[in-house]
Amino acid sequence: MAIARKRQVSLVDTKYYHCISRCVRRAFLCGVDNFTNQSYEHRRGWVESKLLALANVFCIDVCAYAVMSNHTHLVLYVDDKKAKRLTDKAIIQRWHRLCKGTVLTNKYLQGEELSKIEWLFLNETISEYRERLANISWFMRLLNEDIARRANKEDNCTGRFWEGRFKSQALLDEAALIACMAYVDLNPIRAKAAATPETSEHTSVKIRIESATAGKQPKQLLRFSGKSKKHMAKGLPFELKSYLELVELTGRCIREGKAGYIESSTLPLLQRVNITPENWLKLTTQFSRVFHGAVGRPASHGGYCEHLNRKRRANVSNCEKLLA
């Protein structure tokens, strides 16, 4: 039985989540329909543009993404602290970039006088908007609804475009995070849709490599801030150079079809998160198949399940084998 979304998200334990959406239609999300020979590749651009536009409005950052022929992979970071810091006016302005808002929110932005009762209702609305801007369900809802409407209009039809609601996984520690990001970034290579990370169209790794060649990090994505420490700026707790080397080396192993052993000395990032090279290859090729819920070391599961009032710990045996 599917687990309710509110019982999967615990920002106390982690702010990182892996989200997957699948298309139900034979014509695919963005691929080529072999029955009609019609190409829908242009829809990849729709998804990528909408995704990055939403990230610019929501208090949610994109860590990694891959837009495939019939599904999308996202790794998201929920910045709830930012949502709490924003002023009431900033919250309303951000939400109005997504939706029309209410009569009261529009009156407020126009500087019109509000009565006491109107202020009461306005404050309730602002609290609701503040919560939504740090809510993964709202983020995915606005992303998928927009793509579904555009696809239905293009196909001149109605009905479902996505396979129910999106699936999400909590990434409870650095090991789970780095493995999932590499899994997402290497999706096109594993699907033989690209030969190298830098030629993997509509993926986060391609954007990161393009920016890295200019000595920069892309503004659209959550930046790499270096090794995890107690007091650090917001960002992924890894070195960008190490991550790109990791993706390149892992991708090379996958393309050559080797179950193989990777010299640990060439993968400092793996040493830091304590994943063996053999387990790393399994994680980055079978992440969605191996894990079906929260992912992290067994010790990370305790607090997560306790905060969500869940007795059963999914994935514990696989986490013990691959992440311990």
Side-chain angles (χ1 to χ4, degrees):
M1 184 180 293
I3 300 173
R5 193 77 60 222
K6 64 182 179 181
R7 296 194 63 204
Q8 296 182 48
V9 176
S10 173
L11 298 182
V12 175
D13 298 289
T14 181
K15 299 180 189 297
Y16 295 98
Y17 293 85
H18 175 212
C19 301
I20 309 165
S21 296
R22 293 189 180 277
C23 180
V24 297
R25 215 167 278 168
R26 185 198 72 242
F28 299 107
L29 166 62
C30 306
V32 177
D33 185 349
N34 293 325
F35 184 74
T36 63
N37 290 324
Q38 185 171 352
S39 174
Y40 297 93
E41 288 293 317
H42 59 282
R43 291 179 181 172
R44 293 183 194 266
W46 294 359
V47 179
E48 189 172 33
S49 297
K50 186 65 177 180
L51 168 65
L52 298 177
L54 288 174
N56 194 39
V57 177
F58 274 80
C59 297
I60 293 177
D61 295 287
V62 179
C63 305
Y65 70 87
V67 184
M68 304 302 290
S69 63
N70 66 345
H71 66 284
T72 62
H73 283 282
L74 312 177
V75 177
L76 304 175
Y77 172 85
V78 182
D79 192 353
D80 56 327
K81 291 183 179 179
K82 181 179 179 180
K84 293 173 183 176
R85 286 197 310 267
L86 290 173
T87 64
D88 291 348
K89 186 175 183 180
I91 289 291
I92 294 175
Q93 288 174 331
R94 281 175 177 253
W95 190 255
H96 279 205
R97 290 168 64 183
L98 304 169
C99 304
K100 293 181 180 178
T102 67
V103 173
L104 289 180
T105 57
N106 281 286
K107 284 180 67 176
Y108 172 79
L109 290 183
Q110 292 166 9
E112 297 182 24
E113 287 281 340
L114 298 177
S115 65
K116 288 185 177 180
I117 191 67
E118 284 178 326
W119 272 111
L120 182 64
F121 283 112
L122 177 64
N123 287 331
E124 289 181 358
T125 301
I126 292 172
S127 296
E128 188 176 348
Y129 287 173
R130 193 181 299 276
E131 184 179 334
R132 288 179 182 179
L133 287 173
N135 186 291
I136 289 177
S137 289
W138 271 96
F139 185 95
M140 296 300 295
R141 172 180 175 178
L142 292 180
L143 172 63
N144 287 346
E145 280 187 358
D146 180 74
I147 303 306
R149 287 196 183 99
R150 294 180 70 177
N152 280 349
K153 184 177 181 180
E154 184 177 65
D155 295 340
N156 193 28
C157 68
T158 58
R160 278 195 176 186
F161 184 79
W162 298 102
E163 188 183 81
R165 295 194 67 196
F166 70 96
K167 297 177 182 178
S168 68
Q169 294 176 294
L171 305 174
L172 300 178
D173 51 38
E174 290 183 11
L177 173 62
I178 196 69
C180 188
M181 285 182 62
Y183 166 78
V184 170
D185 278 331
L186 288 169
N187 250 248
I189 291 174
R190 292 190 300 106
K192 296 183 179 179
T196 60
E198 63 269 25
T199 59
S200 298
E201 297 294 336
H202 307 294
T203 62
S204 52
V205 72
K206 185 176 189 295
I207 292 180
R208 291 195 189 277
I209 292 172
E210 288 174 347
S211 296
T213 56
K216 300 178 181 179
Q217 292 204 50
K219 294 181 179 179
Q220 312 100 303
L221 304 173
L222 184 62
R223 64 183 288 110
F224 283 80
S225 59
K227 294 181 180 179
S228 180
K229 44 189 178 287
K230 189 173 182 180
H231 300 290
M232 64 184 291
K234 185 182 81 170
L236 293 162
F238 314 108
E239 298 287 349
L240 173 61
K241 182 176 180 291
S242 296
Y243 176 74
L244 293 180
E245 289 174 349
L246 182 70
V247 169
E248 166 68 17
L249 189 51
T250 306
R252 193 181 307 123
C253 293
I254 292 170
R255 285 203 308 277
E256 293 174 358
K258 295 180 180 178
Y261 182 84
I262 300 173
E263 292 292 335
S264 59
S265 60
T266 64
L267 294 174
L269 198 58
L270 292 193
Q271 293 176 24
R272 195 168 83 246
V273 297
N274 295 318
I275 302 178
T276 66
E278 294 89 344
N279 284 347
W280 176 255
L281 283 178
K282 188 170 184 179
L283 285 166
T284 52
T285 56
Q286 302 178 39
F287 197 93
S288 289
R289 193 187 311 166
V290 173
F291 300 114
H292 300 284
V295 186
R297 291 196 172 91
S300 305
H301 278 257
Y304 174 76
C305 292
E306 183 180 341
H307 290 132
L308 293 177
N309 197 26
R310 289 168 61 178
K311 296 180 180 179
R312 184 173 178 274
R313 299 184 184 185
N315 294 324
V316 169
S317 61
N318 283 332
C319 288
E320 286 176 343
K321 292 177 187 176
L322 299 173
L323 296 171

